[in-house]
Amino acid sequence: MAKPLKTALIYDFDGTLARGNMQEVTFIPSVGMGIGDFWGAADKLTREADGDNILMYMQLMLQRARENDHPITRKLLAEHGEDVKLFDGLKSDLTGPGWFDRINEVGAKYGLEIEHYIISAGLEEMIDGCPIRPEFRHVFASKFVYDQHGVAIWPAVGVNYTTKTQYLFRINKGVLNHWEHEKINRFMADDDRPVPFERMIFLGDGDTDVPTMKMMHTKGGFSIAVYDPRNSEKDQKKIYGLISEDRVNFVAAADYREGSALDLIVKGLIGRIAINAGTMPEGV
């Protein structure tokens, strides 16, 4: 029996798997700031320093935590991550299996081994505390470096909206870390790459993921722009405009329940990948 071919489903986190920004649920209130005030202060610091907005919001987190005598630790961030508001259908419950079990089952039926990844400008430590974290092969996200007492002292990685694209190549070549660059730059024949772009599906939301979605689209993979169904009609039309601009393949509400538009699109794409790869069993 042929070994199943690796196929990657790659997700942004904030606005794609969870509503809003992960920092907004409990962390920002815990340092005594309103959500608008925090992001406004981060934007001001970014402009004044001519800096990267991801690194500057992380620096502001450290600053506010010190001022409130509430140092940031990995455990603390994971606890904040427990409270993120996931979209419907992701987790298994009394009504049936969740998104990941269902998608993995479809892949197995079609001769594909589904691997799930996250590429996010959010914080890896918060994602680690999220209840669906065990479903992912690897998480590429912003994160801190810690001192000998386990206290965060500096941003170690800042994943911004354009650097996200490099992580598609890391998944493509099987380099599951932030630091190894030599292997990324070394020539590797397409047949030797663990996950070809043609067997990748990326799910992201809005403007922040456009470079990644566009690259996936042009490399032969598939991109889906998702939106919070609670968003305004104006916001939804903006997302649908990405199709007319040829930046994404599909648009759907971030509803991961069985039978939703997103569920049907992803299952259909997995079937298309299986047909193109020659793994689709006869009669399926």
Side-chain angles (χ1 to χ4, degrees), residues 10-14 22-23 52-58 118-125 127 138-144 155-168 170 177-179 202 208-209 212:
I10 307 164
Y11 312 78
D12 172 49
F13 191 85
D14 294 332
M22 62 181 74
Q23 301 86 356
D52 178 90
N53 63 331
I54 304 300
L55 296 176
M56 296 310 295
Y57 95 68
M58 294 173 72
I118 287 175
I119 303 176
S120 173
L123 294 175
E124 179 180 317
E125 295 92 336
I127 295 171
H138 195 79
V139 171
F140 292 107
S142 305
K143 61 181 179 178
F144 292 103
V157 175
V159 178
N160 67 34
Y161 311 130
T162 53
T163 60
K164 280 185 174 185
T165 57
Q166 71 157 298
Y167 297 105
L168 298 179
R170 290 186 180 274
N177 58 54
H178 293 276
W179 57 266
F202 179 80
T208 61
D209 290 305
T212 312

Side-chain angles (χ1 to χ4, degrees), residues 172-173 187-199:
N172 173 239
K173 290 189 171 185
F187 172 78
M188 182 183 290
D190 289 345
D191 291 345
D192 295 331
R193 301 185 183 206
V195 188
F197 286 102
E198 293 81 4
R199 296 205 301 271

Side-chain angles (χ1 to χ4, degrees), residues 66-78:
R66 285 193 300 267
E67 291 171 354
N68 283 269
D69 196 26
H70 198 52
I72 292 175
T73 64
R74 192 183 302 276
K75 181 175 182 293
L76 176 70
L77 292 176

